[in-house]
Amino acid sequence: MPEISLFYGIRVTMYYDDHNPPHFYAEYNGNKALIEIDGARVIKGALPSRQLKLILAWCVLHQDELMQNWELSKDINIFIDTCTVLNDTLAWDVKQNRDNTSCLDIDPDTLYELPNVKERIA
C-alpha cells in the first residue's frame, strides 16, 4: 500500500484499487482507521484522540491533493506511466516532476499481492 505521508508517528496510506467512497488509511501505534476524504471523518476503526484530531485536520488541509491522488489511482495506465525509481525503490511520481518529496513510495509486498504477479523476485 503506497505511503502518502508519515508525521508524528501516523502513517497515511492509500490503495490504488480501493472501493468508494474516496478514503485513506491512518495507522498509529497499532491503531488503524479508515478516513473518508470528503467528510474528513472516520468510516471504520479508531485512533487515539490526539492522533485522530491531527489526522482529521491534516485531511482537511490536504483534501484537494488527497482527492487528486484518489482519482489518479483509479486509472491503472496513469499509475503505470507515472511510476519511477527514486532512492533505489519504486515510487509513484504523482506530480510527474521527479521530485522525491512529492513521490509516494510503493511497498514491494503490495506489488507482490497483485493478481498479475506470479512469483516474487526477491
Side-chain angles (χ1 to χ4, degrees), residues 60-98:
V60 170
L61 288 171
H62 297 279
Q63 197 168 39
D64 290 341
E65 296 157 291
L66 288 165
M67 284 306 298
Q68 180 184 16
N69 287 348
W70 180 267
E71 294 303 323
L72 286 172
S73 72
K74 299 299 125 196
D75 187 337
I76 191 65
N77 292 321
I78 291 174
F79 178 74
I80 290 168
D81 291 343
T82 56
C83 281
T84 187
V85 175
L86 289 172
N87 301 323
D88 296 324
T89 188
L90 181 63
W92 183 19
D93 189 9
V94 177
K95 295 183 181 178
Q96 300 179 356
N97 61 6
R98 298 296 191 254

Side-chain angles (χ1 to χ4, degrees), residues 1-5 11-15 23-27:
M1 183 176 349
E3 185 174 286
I4 295 171
S5 185
R11 182 175 184 238
V12 181
T13 55
M14 185 183 291
Y15 282 111
H23 62 274
F24 61 89
Y25 298 84
E27 183 177 350

Side-chain angles (χ1 to χ4, degrees), residues 3 10 13 20 24 28 30 50 59 82 91 99 106 114 121:
E3 185 174 286
I10 304 168
T13 55
N20 280 318
F24 61 89
Y28 176 81
R50 183 173 187 211
C59 179
T82 56
D99 175 8
I106 299 175
L114 295 174
I121 296 172

